[in-house]
Amino acid sequence: MRLDRLLANLGYGSRREVADFFPSGRLTRSDGRAVTSATERVPQAELRLDGEPLDPPAPLTLVLHKPVGVVCSHDGDEGALVYGLLPPRFGKRHPALSTVGRLDKETSGLLLLTDDGGLLHRLISPKKAVWKRYEATLARPLRGDEGALFASGTLMLDHDQKPCLPARLEVVGPRMARLSIVEGRYHQVRRMFAAAGNHVESLHRISVGGLTLGDLAPGQWRPATAADLAAVENRSPAGSP
Ligand code: URA
């Protein structure tokens, strides 16, 4: 691929804007020699823009710790967007990055973004059974029957046509529980607890498949490694038996 196209696809500017990087000497090899033409053949890993390595090429997946108060949307007037946590050029990449499913505005935790359509499909399809695990703080003490209700495969949520697929509940305390689900319906965890007569006061996603946030602080992100992607698709919630 021509280097001007590569740089434009990575979001560094339009084809016209990145054309300026060549005569200005901003684009170099790792040894500092300028790359003066878009047709030069230089491996991407060797390229530097203003001395910095380039962002990873597609396919790219990011692991992000979504804080409370940001919205998983490309636009809208509901407030700050999750994409605002990334460098602005990430919003101009081709192919574009999208969130893998959504966390609602008041939910924090592990969120993946990817430009890999195949991965996106595998992770959001309930048939692929990638477990998403949430920790919920509840307004009222658990009754005791929620585990059986959520595991039953018969729980109907308001306005839905089909019952929820079986889910797994772990009780952490009288008003705290972890719930693992394979679906990603609108506000699903909040609605499941509402259907059990409770109310979720705070919600945090702990894991997707076998991947957890590790030491990423709220608002921080990093590119997913091959090990992260293998962990995501191992199909069992991290830490569960
Ligand atoms: N369930 C919810 O209620 N909210 C989320 O953000 C994710 C799952």
Side-chain angles (χ1 to χ4, degrees):
M1 189 189 304
R2 284 174 58 104
L3 295 177
D4 50 354
R5 172 175 284 213
L6 171 76
L7 291 163
N9 285 352
L10 293 177
Y12 288 100
S14 64
R15 287 282 281 277
R16 185 172 299 208
E17 286 163 346
V18 304
D20 288 344
F21 297 167
F22 301 96
S24 65
R26 290 179 64 189
L27 191 70
T28 58
R29 294 176 176 76
S30 49
D31 62 9
R33 277 184 301 139
V35 178
T36 53
S37 159
T39 56
E40 283 190 48
R41 292 188 169 271
V42 188
Q44 171 164 353
E46 260 202 56
L47 290 169
R48 302 287 180 272
L49 182 63
D50 300 328
E52 297 292 326
L54 300 184
D55 295 329
L60 174 65
T61 299
L62 304 178
V63 184
L64 181 136
H65 187 160
K66 180 193 171 296
V68 167
V70 298
V71 184
C72 292
S73 163
H74 277 286
D75 46 34
D77 48 16
E78 290 174 71
L81 306 180
V82 82
Y83 297 96
L85 299 168
L86 307 174
R89 64 179 179 275
F90 275 45
K92 299 185 212 146
R93 285 176 63 107
H94 299 284
L97 286 165
S98 328
T99 63
V100 178
R102 291 182 175 198
L103 292 177
D104 66 59
K105 185 172 180 179
E106 301 311 322
T107 299
S108 61
L110 174 52
L111 181 69
L112 296 168
L113 296 99
T114 192
D115 58 19
D116 181 340
L119 179 72
L120 180 69
H121 175 74
R122 291 199 300 284
L123 296 186
I124 62 179
S125 165
K127 288 194 191 120
K128 303 288 177 182
V130 174
W131 289 89
K132 275 80 71 173
R133 193 179 191 201
Y134 296 84
E135 185 163 272
T137 307
L138 304 165
R140 289 176 278 284
L142 290 154
R143 299 186 304 217
D145 63 342
E146 294 88 348
L149 178 65
F150 295 162
S152 68
T154 62
L155 176 65
M156 285 296 293
L157 300 179
D158 283 349
H159 311 300
D160 286 1
Q161 308 296 319
K162 286 188 193 164
C164 293
L165 289 173
R168 303 175 189 164
L169 186 78
E170 302 157 67
V171 176
V172 180
R175 292 196 306 113
M176 188 175 283
R178 293 184 179 155
L179 181 60
S180 299
I181 59 177
V182 287
E183 298 168 285
R185 301 186 192 192
Y186 178 72
H187 287 189
Q188 182 167 347
V189 173
R190 294 177 193 276
R191 291 163 69 219
M192 287 174 76
F193 279 106
N198 216 319
H199 174 75
V200 171
E201 288 192 327
S202 69
L203 188 61
H204 178 79
R205 182 151 72 188
I206 302 169
S207 57
V208 176
L211 181 67
T212 57
L213 279 168
D215 54 11
L216 273 187
Q220 286 187 334
W221 59 273
R222 60 178 171 75
T225 62
D228 292 332
L229 296 175
V232 165
E233 297 203 68
N234 82 358
R235 296 183 192 188
S236 95
S240 79

